Amino acid sequence: MAAESAHYQIRLATEPSDLMAAQRLRYSVFVEELGGDGPLVDHENRLERDEFDEVYDHLILVDPSRDAAALEHVVGVYRLLPSDRAEQFGRFYCDAEYDLSKLRASGRKLLELGRSCVHPNYRGGASMLLLWNALADYVLANEIEILFGVASFHGIDPEPLRMPLAWLHYHHLAPEALRPRARAEHFQPMDLVPEDQLDRKAAMAAMPTLIRAYLRLGGFVGEGAFIDAPFNTTDVLLLMDTKAMSEKHLDFYTRRHEGRA
């Protein structure tokens, strides 16, 4: 899978240097910028990595003008794990945070998304759109039916997150038949504000851009947030049924896919 714009290339990582550059970008964002950590994080070489990296596909956004030898060429990344490969590996990343038994029992083809990030100098432009378009191609080519993954609020204090978490709880809970639930040991209730006191404007202002993007496409959230202290985040599980996407978006992605077949 490869696509190019005037300034970028977007493709799946194929070389060890691609993966290491993706891990270097993740270190810059998740460790240096957001204060995260983990048992396999390599601080000496500035690589954010874990045991899942070898089984995921890594969708990378490349700026060819940057130094690949210095691992600077990857400026955006998404990790992708189809359910058949997760079954062979034995688990999804999200299994550590959420009970996914209902998703598995659905019998539908799943795709776990994770570690999405963009270099600070490339945010706000075409970068995220290119990643989303390439993700749509991947979803269609692999006949994915449900996408899911954790998205994060910065910090582990629920007080400043009361409004956005409550908005998600009251307005965007996944259907019961598919709804994952945060693991009990780190479960954070999301109904922190009474429904009649919700302020949509305040909720959206405090909502991370990635979560807002999923909601616009018809995304849902699981029950409860998960407090991830090592990564200094409060996580929510997002999921999207491709059949429930708005006709506008689905038609756009389908036409793009057919046009490149």
Side-chain angles (χ1 to χ4, degrees):
M1 183 196 331
E4 297 188 10
S5 71
H7 303 290
Y8 303 110
Q9 299 171 359
I10 187 159
R11 55 182 170 80
L12 295 180
T14 56
E15 303 294 333
S17 61
D18 287 341
L19 176 56
M20 291 181 68
Q23 293 170 334
R24 173 69 55 79
L25 174 64
R26 285 161 34 188
Y27 187 92
S28 174
V29 173
F30 297 126
V31 179
E32 295 177 332
E33 182 179 340
L34 299 177
D37 202 353
L40 296 182
V41 171
D42 183 344
H43 293 286
E44 181 178 356
N45 294 301
R46 298 179 57 242
L47 302 174
E48 193 280 303
R49 60 188 185 185
D50 64 21
E51 69 273 23
F52 289 88
D53 278 331
E54 295 302 318
V55 296
Y56 273 80
D57 284 331
H58 300 264
L59 181 64
I60 57 173
L61 182 68
V62 174
D63 182 344
S65 70
R66 293 172 66 92
D67 188 356
L71 304 180
E72 296 176 349
H73 61 296
V74 174
V75 298
V77 66
Y78 237 129
R79 287 202 317 190
L80 314 173
L81 183 62
S83 50
D84 52 355
R85 200 180 307 162
E87 185 176 344
Q88 295 172 4
F89 183 66
R91 65 194 192 281
F92 289 106
Y93 176 89
C94 289
D95 277 311
E97 299 191 7
Y98 282 81
D99 179 354
L100 304 178
S101 57
K102 290 182 179 179
L103 279 179
R104 285 189 170 89
S106 72
R108 302 175 69 188
K109 191 163 185 180
L110 312 175
L111 178 69
E112 183 180 47
L113 314 176
R115 291 299 198 273
S116 171
C117 61
V118 174
H119 189 286
N121 294 349
Y122 294 79
R123 295 171 190 167
S127 304
M128 205 64 209
L129 178 61
L130 288 168
L131 283 168
W132 274 74
N133 287 345
L135 173 61
D137 287 341
Y138 185 101
V139 165
L140 290 163
N142 290 278
E143 300 181 334
I144 301 299
E145 297 176 83
I146 295 177
L147 295 77
F148 74 96
V150 293
S152 302
F153 291 86
H154 182 49
I156 59 175
D157 179 3
E159 181 61 26
L161 307 178
R162 294 166 65 248
M163 195 64 72
L165 289 178
W167 184 271
L168 292 172
H169 175 82
Y170 290 117
H171 291 280
H172 297 283
L173 269 186
E176 176 66 31
L178 296 174
R179 189 182 305 164
R181 179 179 169 85
R183 299 288 182 186
E185 58 271 24
H186 298 284
F187 186 95
Q188 170 60 56
M190 297 199 299
D191 54 346
L192 300 173
V193 176
E195 187 171 9
D196 61 1
Q197 296 178 25
L198 285 177
D199 181 334
R200 184 184 186 282
K201 184 176 181 180
M204 289 300 114
M207 201 82 70
T209 301
L210 183 64
I211 296 178
R212 291 202 307 268
Y214 275 102
L215 298 182
R216 284 196 296 269
L217 287 173
F220 300 102
V221 297
E223 182 178 356
F226 182 93
I227 302 299
D228 187 349
F231 255 82
N232 192 34
T233 59
T234 298
D235 297 342
V236 294
L237 190 139
L238 291 165
L239 63 106
M240 187 167 62
D241 186 337
T242 58
K243 291 183 178 179
M245 288 174 67
S246 70
E247 289 186 8
K248 174 183 175 182
H249 286 95
L250 188 57
D251 180 62
F252 170 74
Y253 287 136
T254 303
R255 282 188 286 107
R256 286 186 69 258
H257 183 68
E258 290 175 346
R260 296 176 54 183

